[in-house]
Amino acid sequence: MSDSEAPLCRFETIILATDGSEFSESAESVALDLAQRCGARLIVARIILTDTQHDALSPPRSHEASVAGQADLDVLEKRAREAGIDASMILRHGVDRHQEIVAIAEEFKAGLIVIGRRDRGDIARLMVGDATRKVIGLAPCNVMVVPRGAQAPHRGLLVGTDGSDLGDKAVRAAIELAGYCDLPLTIASVAVPGQSDERRQEGVEAVQRLQGEAREQGRQADATTEEGRPEIALVDIARRDQRDLIVVGSHGRTGIKRLLMGSVSERVVGGAECPVLVVKNV
């Protein structure tokens, strides 16, 4: 099977990264829902942050964190079992949470990592926390970021494309996921003010071409072309059209781009009220 034919959203194994806080509650529910819908194996990862110097002096604190973490995992395991999900619980200690999460995803050849988003206040609300950014940048698979209070997608998907190869990949992943979840899909292209007519036309043609691909696969996809700042427009379109999952593309794992998503993708992840699926170019 060639890269162009390989499934982009076949979530046979899903990694749920949870820290047991209120910021992980929605991610937990979304991951359980997706695992059930997709018939996927669910790996729940709880990382206990380790301060080597401090823990050497105070082992009881590390032990208490482990006990609390295991108790949370026991609750999630029961929820998964009751939903008929094949689930495994992993409790690990590590200095860097994101490195442990990525290592687990690589170990289990995961198709998706689900992680919660920490709210950072009005001034920085469009930015993503450093740990989440690193998970997305280093992950060997797609990553879904779930804000606090969000629910599993049940209304529809919105995917943005700029006509690039990576934009095409994000749309094709969204078409697949819309099929698995039996949800409507909207494909959007947002022209930046001052953009050349040629670039605008590329966006229009990309939307029309990808809409045709969706129809060939038996999926009905709406199309829209709008103008504005893409990271704001995509969030606004999702709210207006009642789409409760946004799909965006990300850079791959080459050079300095390993730790970056690109400003548009990062700001969509940081500003969306619904889950955002970041499709990796790997």
Side-chain angles (χ1 to χ4, degrees):
M1 180 179 287
S2 69
D3 290 343
S4 62
E5 296 171 332
L8 300 169
C9 276
R10 181 170 293 172
F11 301 146
E12 296 178 351
T13 300
I14 296 173
I15 306 295
L16 164 62
T18 176
D19 61 6
S21 72
E22 61 187 301
F23 300 104
S24 289
E25 289 178 359
S26 293
E28 292 168 0
S29 296
V30 168
L32 286 164
D33 181 271
L34 286 175
Q36 187 177 43
R37 279 201 239 180
C38 297
R41 181 185 184 191
L42 181 64
I43 309 295
V44 183
R46 177 71 179 269
I47 311 302
I48 305 297
L49 292 179
T50 302
D51 182 333
T52 306
Q53 182 178 5
H54 179 81
D55 286 349
L57 299 174
S58 181
R61 180 175 179 179
S62 177
H63 175 71
E64 290 172 3
S66 296
V67 171
Q70 187 59 56
D72 290 340
L73 291 180
D74 290 344
V75 173
L76 285 169
E77 186 173 26
K78 181 180 179 182
R79 288 176 62 186
R81 186 169 59 248
E82 291 174 347
I85 298 168
D86 175 15
S88 301
M89 307 292 126
I90 295 179
L91 182 70
R92 287 189 184 176
H93 291 74
V95 177
D96 294 308
R97 182 169 177 249
H98 68 274
Q99 290 183 352
E100 296 294 337
I101 293 169
V102 170
I104 291 170
E106 291 175 339
E107 178 182 343
F108 289 93
K109 296 180 173 58
L112 177 69
I113 296 172
V114 179
I115 188 170
R117 188 190 76 197
R118 286 188 170 270
D119 297 328
R120 304 185 62 204
D122 292 339
I123 294 177
R125 79 178 184 88
L126 292 182
M127 302 304 290
V128 179
D130 188 55
T132 301
R133 181 188 299 112
K134 288 178 178 177
V135 167
I136 296 172
L138 293 168
C141 58
N142 298 335
V143 180
M144 185 177 293
V145 183
V146 183
R148 182 171 54 172
Q151 298 180 343
H154 62 278
R155 292 179 174 175
L157 283 64
L158 169 68
V159 59
T161 180
D162 57 2
S164 66
D165 290 341
L166 184 53
D168 283 6
K169 187 170 185 177
V171 175
R172 288 169 182 146
I175 293 170
E176 287 183 12
L177 189 56
Y180 294 147
C181 297
D182 193 24
L183 292 173
L185 173 66
T186 296
I187 305 171
S189 177
V190 182
V192 178
Q195 200 171 52
S196 69
D197 291 340
E198 181 180 359
R199 287 295 303 277
R200 288 171 183 266
Q201 187 59 29
E202 287 176 0
V204 172
E205 291 175 355
V207 167
Q208 294 173 342
R209 171 171 49 80
L210 292 162
Q211 186 182 30
E213 289 189 19
R215 288 172 178 164
E216 289 174 3
Q217 297 180 41
R219 302 304 310 172
Q220 182 63 40
D222 296 330
T224 182
T225 54
E226 307 199 15
E227 181 170 328
R229 289 175 55 183
E231 65 271 24
I232 294 176
L234 289 174
V235 172
D236 288 344
I237 294 168
R239 186 185 301 114
R240 181 194 71 199
D241 294 352
Q242 297 187 327
R243 297 297 187 244
D244 50 4
L245 176 65
I246 301 175
V247 182
V248 295
S250 168
H251 295 300
R253 302 201 293 172
T254 55
I256 194 171
K257 291 180 179 179
R258 296 181 69 198
L259 298 181
L260 301 175
M261 285 181 280
S263 60
V264 171
S265 296
E266 179 169 357
R267 290 176 182 272
V268 170
V269 171
E273 301 167 356
C274 62
V276 178
L277 174 65
V278 181
V279 176
K280 295 299 298 289
N281 188 28
V282 294

